[in-house]
Each structure stands twice: as C-alpha cells, then as structure tokens.
Amino acid sequence: MTARTRWQDVAAVVIGLALVAAPLVFATGLAAPEAIAAYFLGGLVVVAGLANIAFPTFRHGEIAQVILAVVIFASPWAFAFTAVTGMAWAAWIVSPVLLVVVATVTNSPRVIRYPTTT
C-alpha cells in the first residue's frame, strides 16, 4: 500500500506545535488561562493533523481543524486574555494560517493505492 502524505497535514501539525510553544516564547505563566488554552487547542490541532496523516481516508480531520481555527481565533475573548498581546496575536495569526492551509486541501489529491490480488 502506498499513501502520500499531504503537505497540509504536516503543516497543520507544525502550526499546532507552534501554538503549543507560544506560551514559552511569550513567557506567560504555565498555568495562565492563555497558556492552558494554547496547550489544549494546539494539542487538538496536532491530534487532528496526525489523524489525517495516519488515516489517509479520514476526512473529518479537516472539518475539526476548521472548527478549531474558529475557536482559536475567538479564544482571546472567550478566555479573557486580550490584554496579553503576545498570546492574543499568536491566536489571531495562527487561526487564519490554519484556515488557509486547510482550505488548500481540496486542491491537493491524496494518492492511495491498495494492493491488488493477481
């Protein structure tokens, strides 16, 4: 069986890891609401990206990533950390980038070949 991993799946994992690393980069407290939101939402983006890589026929991962991108964009208001500008901007930058990456999935075919019996 041959399956080609799409660059969008790998990019989604990298974007999720960047969101997980954002509290360390911006030196927020590890238990601060913005850090917990970044760890949780970034981790979910990573899990959805890894699910897309591991299961090539799994199509619900892209839907989950779009929903997560919307939640990430709204998280500075939902978790009241708009005053922490570094983390707020990280959320506001990561979510549109994730949406653009997921939007390009429709133009990127996935090559899946299953073994044939002779």
Side-chain angles (χ1 to χ4, degrees), residues 2-98:
T2 303
R4 184 180 70 190
T5 302
R6 297 178 304 185
W7 68 268
Q8 292 94 339
D9 298 333
V10 176
V13 172
V14 170
I15 290 168
L17 289 175
L19 188 60
V20 169
L24 301 173
V25 172
F26 296 113
T28 61
L30 296 178
E34 61 271 9
I36 294 171
Y39 297 146
F40 182 70
L41 295 172
L44 288 177
V45 172
V46 169
V47 168
L50 290 175
N52 284 335
I53 291 171
F55 305 105
T57 57
F58 183 67
R59 293 291 180 196
H60 300 294
E62 288 88 12
I63 296 168
Q65 289 171 347
V66 168
I67 293 169
L68 284 169
V70 171
V71 171
I72 290 168
F73 189 82
S75 67
W77 294 288
F79 297 110
F81 63 89
T82 55
V84 184
T85 55
M87 288 300 298
W89 277 103
W92 293 330
I93 291 170
V94 163
S95 59
V97 171
L98 182 62

Side-chain angles (χ1 to χ4, degrees), residues 88-115:
W89 277 103
W92 293 330
I93 291 170
V94 163
S95 59
V97 171
L98 182 62
L99 280 175
V100 168
V101 167
V102 173
T104 61
V105 169
T106 57
N107 296 328
S108 177
R110 213 177 259 206
V111 176
I112 303 171
R113 290 188 205 109
Y114 295 100

